[in-house]
Amino acid sequence: MDLTALPPLWITLLIVCPLVLVGGMVDAVAGGGGLITMPAYLIAGVPPHLAIATNQLSAGLGSTTSTVRLCRNGFVNVKLAVPAALFGFAGSVGGARVTLLVPEGVLRYVLLALLPLIAVVVLRKKSFAAKDRPMPARRRWLLVAACSLACGLYNGFYGPGSGTFTLLAFTAVAGMGLHDASGDMKIWNLSANVASIVTFALSGQMWWVVGLVAGVFGMVGHYLGAGLVLKDGTRIVRPVIVGVLVLLFARTALELAGVIA
């Protein structure tokens, strides 16, 4: 990692930490927190590979809070959590390796193109099924494994919205009810984040100080968000996500115009 190419630490923390806090609250309330935290690193001027890796670290620490809470309250189907964790781990390693092969200049524009598309999908997500759909146990196990692998690939490659996509896959494809799907998605998410963190760290693409400090803010955000009772969380989520995306595109436009480095 070339330290000379990084923005000043204090400026990075000043921009990233508040947005990671808000992202954690949004994620706990309605999902989609990654659509705030990932742009936060790019707005701060963190290079794309390093931004993805460090976001995985802070996101992993933040989601641990809600994962533990769901596990303690019985929101986990252990038989399905195992394939979710294993295949999510494998997929995320593969996705992270693909990301590392993409040139930084190309990756920056790939991320800019993906962000608004993912935001539309996440913000327009439909209600999840409340109850299990009847299905043979072996078939459901295989479907959970396939969904976990596919979503893991996306999580390792990029990340934002992966929890929402996985929850949708578990309920719509594998026929799981929202109760078990929520807990198993969190187990998947934790495993996938660990895989990405390890893969990026071994490649030297991790800003540990920023990721760990921002992770603490993420944990606080998840804790606060879990305690909120909102009738319509998306009424808060939408303007926050749109605002952050506008900031990101404004910064990119200024870069292209040569106004900022």
Side-chain angles (χ1 to χ4, degrees), residues 181-194:
S182 297
D184 288 352
M185 181 274 288
K186 284 296 184 182
I187 297 295
W188 168 90
N189 197 33
L190 187 59
S191 178
N193 279 341
V194 169

Side-chain angles (χ1 to χ4, degrees), residues 80-185:
L80 295 177
V82 171
L86 293 178
F87 284 87
F89 189 97
S92 196
V93 169
R97 289 186 177 278
V98 171
T99 297
L100 291 169
L101 295 175
V102 180
E104 190 170 283
V106 175
L107 184 61
R108 182 182 297 276
Y109 292 104
V110 170
L111 302 189
L112 288 172
L114 284 176
L115 268 169
L117 295 176
I118 295 165
V120 169
V121 173
V122 171
L123 294 176
R124 289 174 62 88
K125 65 180 183 289
K126 297 180 180 180
S127 300
F128 303 104
K131 297 182 180 180
D132 282 353
R133 190 169 70 244
M135 184 182 299
R138 180 178 175 80
R139 182 184 177 191
R140 175 168 286 150
W141 193 99
L142 291 172
L143 288 173
V144 166
C147 291
S148 298
L149 181 65
C151 292
L153 284 166
Y154 168 73
N155 181 77
F157 180 78
Y158 189 18
S162 59
T164 301
F165 297 154
T166 306
L167 191 59
L168 280 168
F170 283 177
T171 54
V173 178
M176 296 177 66
L178 185 59
H179 184 283
D180 288 344
S182 297
D184 288 352
M185 181 274 288

Side-chain angles (χ1 to χ4, degrees), residues 23 26-27 30-37 122 125 161 164 237 241:
V26 166
D27 209 46
L35 292 168
I36 297 173
T37 61
V122 171
K125 65 180 183 289
T164 301
V237 173
I241 290 177

